[in-house]
Amino acid sequence: MTLRKVNISILVVAVVIFLLVLHHNFLGLSDFLKRELSDSNPLGLQPIDFIPAVPQRLADERNDKEISVVIAASDERLGGAIAAMNSIYHHTKSNVVFYIVTLNDTVDHLRLWLSNTALKNLRYRILDFDPHVLEGKVQVDPQKADTLKPLTFARFYLPNLVPHAEKAIYVDDDIIVQDDILELYNTPLKPGHAAAFSDDCDSTTNKVAVRGAGNQYNYIGFLDYKKETIRKLAMKANTCSFNPGVFVANLTEWKLQNITKQLEKWMALNVAEELYSRTLAGSITTPPLLIVFYKQHSSIDPMWNVRHLGSSAGKRYSPQFVKAAKLLHWNGHFKPWGRTASYAEIWEKWYVPDPTGKFSLLRRHSEAYEAK
């Protein structure tokens, strides 16, 4: 009888051990499946490359908190994105991870540029943007189909680009950072606000450089107030617009409010009704953002988006003011890598030569495609 009890006890222990091992393996499989599912993306924003760690020496020098920075990188403007990332990296000790959104035919060029230059220690993830996402949402002139730049809409899909982040920074490729990006990241957002922008009318930039701009920096400059759909929104035409080339996003709030779907709704409505102004709106990405974020956005320090360097207004800045700026933005027709732009020498300081030599030719012959 005693031997029988011992055998039963041994059997019970064996079953318990078996169940524990099975449970552990199940959890491991579950975690694996979650990771696999989280990497898939219904919008075609697929991860191509990821460098998860930096050398230990550099890791010890930098803070642990990850700061997600999203930037678009088209092949003809790749040097701009490279200079922007280089300036951000060298002005911070924070753990910055760049989410570089590009098209498939640019990936090899970008990877080579990053891995064979002084930028090899950057932490980054390359994401392939599928232009088909924009079908039915962007009006394309058949005679000017090549002027449509899909990557300008990448900022609309931030939660899909950085699905695990609670907060992210978006920057255009025509910027240079001159201070610690952590300060911009820590911009306080009011409750219920999904993003913080730099307002046009109240910015330090406009007080210094822009006079007599008229409707260019008001809502009426971007939206057609003759259309009933716009009038029904009851948005004041003289409301200050904001610049969407640099902003901080609360991605938790963005997802709660379904901001991406709201933006897509207004993009599709514009295709059907032509709601955007045909006169002064310099960017087709700005109008839907103005509608969705009307009186529902916070503000960033205007010195974190000192703009108009890509226009004649930039020539009015004093060297002292430019030096004090935390972020310089060459929005406008003149880019520092192409035609003559104000203070292009500052941009060149952060430019890393293209190991293929391809971009050096573009710098001589390129033209800016959009006055963002």
Side-chain angles (χ1 to χ4, degrees):
M1 184 66 69
T2 303
L3 181 61
R4 188 175 185 182
K5 289 182 178 180
V6 170
N7 289 338
I8 293 174
S9 298
I10 293 173
L11 180 61
V12 170
V13 171
V15 170
V16 169
I17 292 174
F18 173 76
L19 290 175
L20 287 173
V21 171
L22 184 64
H23 179 67
H24 176 76
N25 291 338
F26 176 77
L27 288 178
L29 178 61
S30 177
D31 289 341
F32 173 77
L33 290 174
K34 286 179 181 177
R35 288 196 299 271
E36 289 296 303
L37 289 172
S38 68
D39 282 341
S40 64
N41 197 306
L43 294 174
L45 300 164
Q46 299 297 340
I48 293 176
D49 208 6
F50 187 46
I51 297 180
V54 294
Q56 188 61 42
R57 176 182 59 81
L58 294 175
D60 291 341
E61 295 175 357
R62 294 181 180 269
N63 298 329
D64 291 335
K65 183 179 181 180
E66 179 178 312
I67 296 179
S68 303
V69 176
V70 178
I71 187 169
S74 60
D75 202 55
E76 68 271 21
R77 298 166 63 112
L78 203 51
I82 291 292
M85 290 188 288
N86 192 31
S87 70
I88 292 171
Y89 179 77
H90 280 91
H91 280 101
T92 187
K93 289 186 178 295
S94 296
N95 181 21
V96 173
V97 177
F98 294 99
Y99 291 80
I100 311 169
V101 192
T102 191
L103 300 177
N104 190 54
D105 56 3
T106 305
V107 172
D108 290 339
H109 187 191
L110 174 59
R111 186 185 290 119
L112 182 66
W113 206 330
L114 290 170
S115 61
N116 290 284
T117 64
L119 301 172
K120 59 185 178 182
N121 289 326
L122 260 64
R123 296 187 67 204
Y124 64 88
R125 190 168 194 170
I126 299 176
L127 298 169
D128 178 25
F129 187 84
D130 184 0
H132 292 98
V133 171
L134 303 175
E135 288 182 357
K137 305 180 186 76
V138 179
Q139 198 165 28
V140 180
D141 185 341
Q143 297 181 343
K144 299 179 180 179
D146 59 339
T147 62
L148 175 64
K149 305 297 178 181
L151 293 177
T152 62
F153 296 95
R155 72 197 83 187
F156 289 7
Y157 299 94
L158 289 182
N160 303 94
L161 298 170
V162 280
H164 306 299
E166 295 180 358
K167 197 174 185 181
I169 295 172
Y170 172 85
V171 292
D172 278 344
D173 57 11
D174 52 358
I175 63 101
I176 288 295
V177 167
Q178 301 189 124
D179 209 333
D180 193 340
I181 198 75
L182 178 63
E183 181 183 326
L184 178 61
Y185 182 85
N186 287 334
T187 298
L189 274 70
K190 295 179 181 178
H193 286 183
F197 303 91
S198 178
D199 290 329
D200 286 321
C201 302
D202 299 329
S203 73
T204 304
T205 294
N206 287 331
K207 290 177 181 177
V208 172
V210 182
R211 299 287 186 273
N215 294 327
Q216 188 172 354
Y217 303 112
N218 294 329
Y219 268 50
I220 197 172
F222 294 88
L223 300 167
D224 188 351
Y225 275 78
K226 294 179 181 178
K227 299 296 174 67
E228 184 179 0
T229 301
I230 296 298
R231 293 200 306 270
K232 283 183 176 180
L233 294 174
M235 300 183 301
K236 293 184 178 179
N238 64 350
T239 301
C240 288
S241 57
F242 53 77
N243 182 275
V246 178
F247 64 91
V248 180
N250 178 335
L251 298 182
T252 302
E253 195 65 44
W254 190 294
K255 287 182 278 191
L256 283 173
Q257 297 183 31
N258 218 350
I259 296 294
T260 296
K261 286 296 182 183
Q262 291 189 56
L263 292 168
E264 289 184 324
K265 166 193 169 183
W266 288 105
M267 291 166 68
L269 278 173
N270 177 65
V271 171
E273 302 181 31
E274 296 186 352
L275 304 176
Y276 304 165
S277 171
R278 295 185 177 184
T279 54
L280 295 174
S283 168
I284 57 175
T285 58
T286 303
L289 287 164
L290 293 179
I291 295 172
V292 172
F293 287 104
Y294 178 69
K295 293 188 176 182
Q296 287 295 320
H297 68 274
S298 299
S299 297
I300 65 173
D301 179 345
M303 294 301 282
W304 273 104
N305 192 359
V306 172
R307 45 201 183 274
H308 306 304
L309 288 164
S311 67
S312 58
K315 297 178 180 179
R316 303 179 192 177
Y317 295 144
S318 70
Q320 294 79 12
F321 177 72
V322 170
K323 184 178 180 180
K326 298 178 180 182
L327 183 149
L328 299 172
H329 190 181
W330 281 266
N331 64 312
H333 293 288
F334 306 106
K335 303 302 178 185
W337 59 81
R339 297 178 289 178
T340 303
S342 302
Y343 294 100
E345 67 277 6
I346 297 177
W347 180 87
E348 291 183 11
K349 176 184 176 183
W350 298 106
Y351 173 69
V352 177
D354 182 358
T356 69
K358 183 178 179 181
F359 190 75
S360 62
L361 295 175
L362 289 172
R363 287 187 67 199
R364 289 197 290 271
H365 301 297
S366 68
E367 292 187 357
Y369 61 75
E370 184 185 20
K372 291 193 284 186

PDB file of all heavy atoms in Angstrom, residues 11-30:
ATOM      1  N   LEU A  11       3.722  10.138  -9.770  1.00  0.00           N
ATOM      2  CA  LEU A  11       2.943  10.408 -10.967  1.00  0.00           C
ATOM      3  C   LEU A  11       2.349  11.816 -10.936  1.00  0.00           C
ATOM      4  O   LEU A  11       2.370  12.547 -11.929  1.00  0.00           O
ATOM      5  CB  LEU A  11       1.833   9.360 -11.104  1.00  0.00           C
ATOM      6  CG  LEU A  11       0.917   9.515 -12.331  1.00  0.00           C
ATOM      7  CD1 LEU A  11       1.733   9.387 -13.618  1.00  0.00           C
ATOM      8  CD2 LEU A  11      -0.193   8.475 -12.295  1.00  0.00           C
ATOM      9  N   VAL A  12       1.814  12.225  -9.757  1.00  0.00           N
ATOM     10  CA  VAL A  12       1.235  13.561  -9.607  1.00  0.00           C
ATOM     11  C   VAL A  12       2.285  14.642  -9.839  1.00  0.00           C
ATOM     12  O   VAL A  12       2.063  15.634 -10.542  1.00  0.00           O
ATOM     13  CB  VAL A  12       0.600  13.725  -8.212  1.00  0.00           C
ATOM     14  CG1 VAL A  12       0.228  15.185  -7.978  1.00  0.00           C
ATOM     15  CG2 VAL A  12      -0.628  12.833  -8.080  1.00  0.00           C
ATOM     16  N   VAL A  13       3.481  14.442  -9.249  1.00  0.00           N
ATOM     17  CA  VAL A  13       4.573  15.418  -9.420  1.00  0.00           C
ATOM     18  C   VAL A  13       4.965  15.521 -10.885  1.00  0.00           C
ATOM     19  O   VAL A  13       5.190  16.613 -11.428  1.00  0.00           O
ATOM     20  CB  VAL A  13       5.789  15.012  -8.555  1.00  0.00           C
ATOM     21  CG1 VAL A  13       7.001  15.890  -8.909  1.00  0.00           C
ATOM     22  CG2 VAL A  13       5.456  15.150  -7.082  1.00  0.00           C
ATOM     23  N   ALA A  14       5.037  14.386 -11.569  1.00  0.00           N
ATOM     24  CA  ALA A  14       5.418  14.377 -12.983  1.00  0.00           C
ATOM     25  C   ALA A  14       4.401  15.130 -13.823  1.00  0.00           C
ATOM     26  O   ALA A  14       4.745  15.887 -14.744  1.00  0.00           O
ATOM     27  CB  ALA A  14       5.556  12.922 -13.467  1.00  0.00           C
ATOM     28  N   VAL A  15       3.112  14.909 -13.519  1.00  0.00           N
ATOM     29  CA  VAL A  15       2.055  15.619 -14.256  1.00  0.00           C
ATOM     30  C   VAL A  15       2.142  17.127 -14.037  1.00  0.00           C
ATOM     31  O   VAL A  15       2.009  17.923 -14.963  1.00  0.00           O
ATOM     32  CB  VAL A  15       0.666  15.085 -13.829  1.00  0.00           C
ATOM     33  CG1 VAL A  15      -0.433  15.968 -14.404  1.00  0.00           C
ATOM     34  CG2 VAL A  15       0.491  13.652 -14.287  1.00  0.00           C
ATOM     35  N   VAL A  16       2.387  17.524 -12.776  1.00  0.00           N
ATOM     36  CA  VAL A  16       2.499  18.951 -12.461  1.00  0.00           C
ATOM     37  C   VAL A  16       3.659  19.577 -13.221  1.00  0.00           C
ATOM     38  O   VAL A  16       3.546  20.671 -13.803  1.00  0.00           O
ATOM     39  CB  VAL A  16       2.669  19.159 -10.940  1.00  0.00           C
ATOM     40  CG1 VAL A  16       3.046  20.612 -10.646  1.00  0.00           C
ATOM     41  CG2 VAL A  16       1.397  18.775 -10.209  1.00  0.00           C
ATOM     42  N   ILE A  17       4.811  18.887 -13.216  1.00  0.00           N
ATOM     43  CA  ILE A  17       5.992  19.405 -13.943  1.00  0.00           C
ATOM     44  C   ILE A  17       5.691  19.526 -15.428  1.00  0.00           C
ATOM     45  O   ILE A  17       6.030  20.519 -16.089  1.00  0.00           O
ATOM     46  CB  ILE A  17       7.205  18.485 -13.701  1.00  0.00           C
ATOM     47  CG1 ILE A  17       7.649  18.575 -12.237  1.00  0.00           C
ATOM     48  CG2 ILE A  17       8.358  18.861 -14.631  1.00  0.00           C
ATOM     49  CD1 ILE A  17       8.748  17.603 -11.878  1.00  0.00           C
ATOM     50  N   PHE A  18       5.018  18.503 -15.993  1.00  0.00           N
ATOM     51  CA  PHE A  18       4.665  18.531 -17.398  1.00  0.00           C
ATOM     52  C   PHE A  18       3.771  19.728 -17.734  1.00  0.00           C
ATOM     53  O   PHE A  18       3.960  20.430 -18.725  1.00  0.00           O
ATOM     54  CB  PHE A  18       3.969  17.222 -17.784  1.00  0.00           C
ATOM     55  CG  PHE A  18       3.422  17.221 -19.181  1.00  0.00           C
ATOM     56  CD1 PHE A  18       4.266  17.060 -20.281  1.00  0.00           C
ATOM     57  CD2 PHE A  18       2.058  17.391 -19.401  1.00  0.00           C
ATOM     58  CE1 PHE A  18       3.754  17.063 -21.566  1.00  0.00           C
ATOM     59  CE2 PHE A  18       1.551  17.402 -20.688  1.00  0.00           C
ATOM     60  CZ  PHE A  18       2.401  17.237 -21.774  1.00  0.00           C
ATOM     61  N   LEU A  19       2.779  19.961 -16.868  1.00  0.00           N
ATOM     62  CA  LEU A  19       1.855  21.077 -17.087  1.00  0.00           C
ATOM     63  C   LEU A  19       2.570  22.412 -16.991  1.00  0.00           C
ATOM     64  O   LEU A  19       2.284  23.354 -17.751  1.00  0.00           O
ATOM     65  CB  LEU A  19       0.710  21.010 -16.068  1.00  0.00           C
ATOM     66  CG  LEU A  19      -0.283  19.855 -16.256  1.00  0.00           C
ATOM     67  CD1 LEU A  19      -1.296  19.837 -15.115  1.00  0.00           C
ATOM     68  CD2 LEU A  19      -1.011  19.985 -17.596  1.00  0.00           C
ATOM     69  N   LEU A  20       3.512  22.542 -16.050  1.00  0.00           N
ATOM     70  CA  LEU A  20       4.270  23.789 -15.918  1.00  0.00           C
ATOM     71  C   LEU A  20       5.112  24.058 -17.163  1.00  0.00           C
ATOM     72  O   LEU A  20       5.177  25.189 -17.666  1.00  0.00           O
ATOM     73  CB  LEU A  20       5.166  23.729 -14.673  1.00  0.00           C
ATOM     74  CG  LEU A  20       4.465  23.848 -13.319  1.00  0.00           C
ATOM     75  CD1 LEU A  20       5.444  23.589 -12.189  1.00  0.00           C
ATOM     76  CD2 LEU A  20       3.817  25.229 -13.169  1.00  0.00           C
ATOM     77  N   VAL A  21       5.771  23.004 -17.661  1.00  0.00           N
ATOM     78  CA  VAL A  21       6.577  23.158 -18.885  1.00  0.00           C
ATOM     79  C   VAL A  21       5.694  23.535 -20.062  1.00  0.00           C
ATOM     80  O   VAL A  21       6.009  24.405 -20.875  1.00  0.00           O
ATOM     81  CB  VAL A  21       7.360  21.866 -19.179  1.00  0.00           C
ATOM     82  CG1 VAL A  21       8.036  21.946 -20.566  1.00  0.00           C
ATOM     83  CG2 VAL A  21       8.403  21.620 -18.101  1.00  0.00           C
ATOM     84  N   LEU A  22       4.544  22.882 -20.180  1.00  0.00           N
ATOM     85  CA  LEU A  22       3.607  23.168 -21.267  1.00  0.00           C
ATOM     86  C   LEU A  22       3.117  24.601 -21.190  1.00  0.00           C
ATOM     87  O   LEU A  22       3.024  25.317 -22.202  1.00  0.00           O
ATOM     88  CB  LEU A  22       2.424  22.189 -21.194  1.00  0.00           C
ATOM     89  CG  LEU A  22       1.388  22.294 -22.332  1.00  0.00           C
ATOM     90  CD1 LEU A  22       2.044  21.931 -23.653  1.00  0.00           C
ATOM     91  CD2 LEU A  22       0.207  21.373 -22.046  1.00  0.00           C
ATOM     92  N   HIS A  23       2.803  25.078 -19.965  1.00  0.00           N
ATOM     93  CA  HIS A  23       2.329  26.445 -19.766  1.00  0.00           C
ATOM     94  C   HIS A  23       3.401  27.456 -20.172  1.00  0.00           C
ATOM     95  O   HIS A  23       3.120  28.456 -20.833  1.00  0.00           O
ATOM     96  CB  HIS A  23       1.947  26.641 -18.296  1.00  0.00           C
ATOM     97  CG  HIS A  23       1.456  28.027 -17.986  1.00  0.00           C
ATOM     98  ND1 HIS A  23       0.277  28.542 -18.487  1.00  0.00           N
ATOM     99  CD2 HIS A  23       2.000  29.016 -17.213  1.00  0.00           C
ATOM    100  CE1 HIS A  23       0.111  29.767 -18.049  1.00  0.00           C
ATOM    101  NE2 HIS A  23       1.135  30.084 -17.283  1.00  0.00           N
ATOM    102  N   HIS A  24       4.650  27.181 -19.786  1.00  0.00           N
ATOM    103  CA  HIS A  24       5.757  28.079 -20.124  1.00  0.00           C
ATOM    104  C   HIS A  24       5.932  28.188 -21.635  1.00  0.00           C
ATOM    105  O   HIS A  24       6.096  29.279 -22.187  1.00  0.00           O
ATOM    106  CB  HIS A  24       7.043  27.569 -19.480  1.00  0.00           C
ATOM    107  CG  HIS A  24       8.258  28.371 -19.839  1.00  0.00           C
ATOM    108  ND1 HIS A  24       8.525  29.616 -19.295  1.00  0.00           N
ATOM    109  CD2 HIS A  24       9.272  28.116 -20.714  1.00  0.00           C
ATOM    110  CE1 HIS A  24       9.642  30.089 -19.800  1.00  0.00           C
ATOM    111  NE2 HIS A  24      10.117  29.194 -20.666  1.00  0.00           N
ATOM    112  N   ASN A  25       5.871  27.039 -22.310  1.00  0.00           N
ATOM    113  CA  ASN A  25       6.027  27.051 -23.764  1.00  0.00           C
ATOM    114  C   ASN A  25       4.878  27.765 -24.442  1.00  0.00           C
ATOM    115  O   ASN A  25       5.049  28.453 -25.449  1.00  0.00           O
ATOM    116  CB  ASN A  25       6.131  25.613 -24.295  1.00  0.00           C
ATOM    117  CG  ASN A  25       7.440  24.953 -23.884  1.00  0.00           C
ATOM    118  OD1 ASN A  25       8.403  25.642 -23.582  1.00  0.00           O
ATOM    119  ND2 ASN A  25       7.468  23.620 -23.872  1.00  0.00           N
ATOM    120  N   PHE A  26       3.680  27.600 -23.879  1.00  0.00           N
ATOM    121  CA  PHE A  26       2.515  28.276 -24.448  1.00  0.00           C
ATOM    122  C   PHE A  26       2.654  29.791 -24.353  1.00  0.00           C
ATOM    123  O   PHE A  26       2.360  30.521 -25.291  1.00  0.00           O
ATOM    124  CB  PHE A  26       1.253  27.819 -23.733  1.00  0.00           C
ATOM    125  CG  PHE A  26       0.017  28.545 -24.193  1.00  0.00           C
ATOM    126  CD1 PHE A  26      -0.593  28.230 -25.397  1.00  0.00           C
ATOM    127  CD2 PHE A  26      -0.530  29.581 -23.424  1.00  0.00           C
ATOM    128  CE1 PHE A  26      -1.726  28.915 -25.824  1.00  0.00           C
ATOM    129  CE2 PHE A  26      -1.650  30.264 -23.843  1.00  0.00           C
ATOM    130  CZ  PHE A  26      -2.249  29.923 -25.049  1.00  0.00           C
ATOM    131  N   LEU A  27       3.139  30.265 -23.196  1.00  0.00           N
ATOM    132  CA  LEU A  27       3.343  31.706 -23.025  1.00  0.00           C
ATOM    133  C   LEU A  27       4.377  32.223 -24.004  1.00  0.00           C
ATOM    134  O   LEU A  27       4.240  33.310 -24.571  1.00  0.00           O
ATOM    135  CB  LEU A  27       3.778  32.013 -21.586  1.00  0.00           C
ATOM    136  CG  LEU A  27       2.715  31.877 -20.505  1.00  0.00           C
ATOM    137  CD1 LEU A  27       3.318  32.159 -19.130  1.00  0.00           C
ATOM    138  CD2 LEU A  27       1.543  32.819 -20.768  1.00  0.00           C
ATOM    139  N   GLY A  28       5.440  31.451 -24.211  1.00  0.00           N
ATOM    140  CA  GLY A  28       6.472  31.861 -25.159  1.00  0.00           C
ATOM    141  C   GLY A  28       5.915  31.963 -26.563  1.00  0.00           C
ATOM    142  O   GLY A  28       6.200  32.903 -27.306  1.00  0.00           O
ATOM    143  N   LEU A  29       5.085  30.973 -26.949  1.00  0.00           N
ATOM    144  CA  LEU A  29       4.461  31.000 -28.260  1.00  0.00           C
ATOM    145  C   LEU A  29       3.520  32.183 -28.384  1.00  0.00           C
ATOM    146  O   LEU A  29       3.458  32.856 -29.411  1.00  0.00           O
ATOM    147  CB  LEU A  29       3.711  29.685 -28.507  1.00  0.00           C
ATOM    148  CG  LEU A  29       2.944  29.573 -29.835  1.00  0.00           C
ATOM    149  CD1 LEU A  29       3.910  29.690 -30.995  1.00  0.00           C
ATOM    150  CD2 LEU A  29       2.166  28.261 -29.891  1.00  0.00           C
ATOM    151  N   SER A  30       2.762  32.456 -27.323  1.00  0.00           N
ATOM    152  CA  SER A  30       1.829  33.573 -27.322  1.00  0.00           C
ATOM    153  C   SER A  30       2.547  34.894 -27.530  1.00  0.00           C
ATOM    154  O   SER A  30       2.125  35.731 -28.326  1.00  0.00           O
ATOM    155  CB  SER A  30       1.050  33.612 -26.006  1.00  0.00           C
ATOM    156  OG  SER A  30       0.187  34.718 -25.963  1.00  0.00           O
TER     157      SER A  30
END
